[in-house]
Amino acid sequence: MSERPRLTVLSGPSGVGKSTVVAHMRKEHPDVWLSVSATTRKPRPGEQHGVHYFFVTDEEMDKLIANGELLEWAEFAGNRYGTPRAAVQERLENGEPVLLEIDLQGARQIRESMSDAQLVFLAPPSWEELVRRLTGRGTESPEVIERRLEAARTELAAEPEFDVTLVNTSVEDVARELLALMDVV
């Protein structure tokens, strides 16, 4: 019997390209299961309940947290996000590779709750490139950008806490490296 796959957590600073890498990887390997987070924020246009997020009320989120039904949760920009525990454990028990794409705070909580998880840090090719990505969106005010840059400095400093670092020089290369780490090649 093959050993149960490990949970793989992909984290890194805002703007580093986590969701782009994951989207590319899932296009090539749809068998990799990406955990769907619960959130209290309202759906954006085109987002579907159960596909992009599980959209829940504040009361529902309070219950999930109180009952220990989340592997990790965090508050971000006034909304809460969390990873439902049962679905992740069920997939792992079925021998499916599971990927979580979460922030630093969430990755630290996963380290506490599932010590055998593989934590992967996605790093930018350089600080300048990260600044370019964070400011290049053109959708945020200078104050928000400054807050994001400040957060990114803190997030980059956490790199040594992770098992593996991948540098996002090419989405294709990083997706391939991530699949190899997950033994899905």
Side-chain angles (χ1 to χ4, degrees), residues 8 13 18 24 37 49 73-74 85-86 95 104 109 118-119 130 135 139 157 166 180-181 184:
T8 301
K18 294 182 293 291
H24 180 79
S37 297
H49 179 77
W73 69 275
R85 180 186 302 271
L104 174 62
Q109 289 180 44
Q118 172 172 237
L119 270 52
L130 188 63
T135 54
T139 52
L166 300 178
L181 285 171
V184 186

Side-chain angles (χ1 to χ4, degrees), residues 12-27:
S14 175
V16 78
K18 294 182 293 291
S19 44
T20 307
V21 166
V22 169
H24 180 79
M25 196 178 100
R26 301 244 3 261
K27 206 171 70 195

Side-chain angles (χ1 to χ4, degrees), residues 25 35 49 51 86 93 100 112 117 123-124 138 141-142 159 162 170 175 185:
M25 196 178 100
S35 172
H49 179 77
V51 176
E93 281 159 18
L100 291 189
E112 294 295 307
S141 67
E159 183 186 337
F162 287 76
S170 142
V185 189

Side-chain angles (χ1 to χ4, degrees), residues 26 34-37 46-55:
R26 301 244 3 261
L34 181 68
S35 172
V36 177
S37 297
E47 286 183 334
Q48 297 171 296
H49 179 77
V51 176
H52 300 96
Y53 287 97
F54 292 110
F55 296 98

Side-chain angles (χ1 to χ4, degrees), residues 77-154:
N79 295 300
R80 290 180 291 172
Y81 297 81
T83 303
R85 180 186 302 271
V88 168
Q89 286 178 322
E90 188 181 312
R91 300 282 173 155
L92 288 171
E93 281 159 18
N94 288 339
E96 295 175 54
V98 175
L99 181 65
L100 291 189
E101 177 207 326
I102 51 179
D103 69 353
L104 174 62
Q105 189 183 342
R108 285 174 169 155
Q109 289 180 44
I110 295 286
R111 170 70 81 215
E112 294 295 307
S113 63
M114 292 184 83
S115 58
D116 64 338
Q118 172 172 237
L119 270 52
V120 180
F121 189 85
L122 189 61
S126 66
W127 172 251
E128 293 70 28
E129 175 62 16
L130 188 63
V131 170
R132 193 185 67 70
R133 289 179 190 176
L134 285 172
T135 54
R137 290 176 174 173
T139 52
E140 282 123 356
S141 67
E143 297 77 36
V144 169
I145 289 170
E146 194 43 54
R147 274 206 311 273
R148 281 183 180 270
L149 292 174
E150 197 50 50
R153 281 186 198 96
T154 306

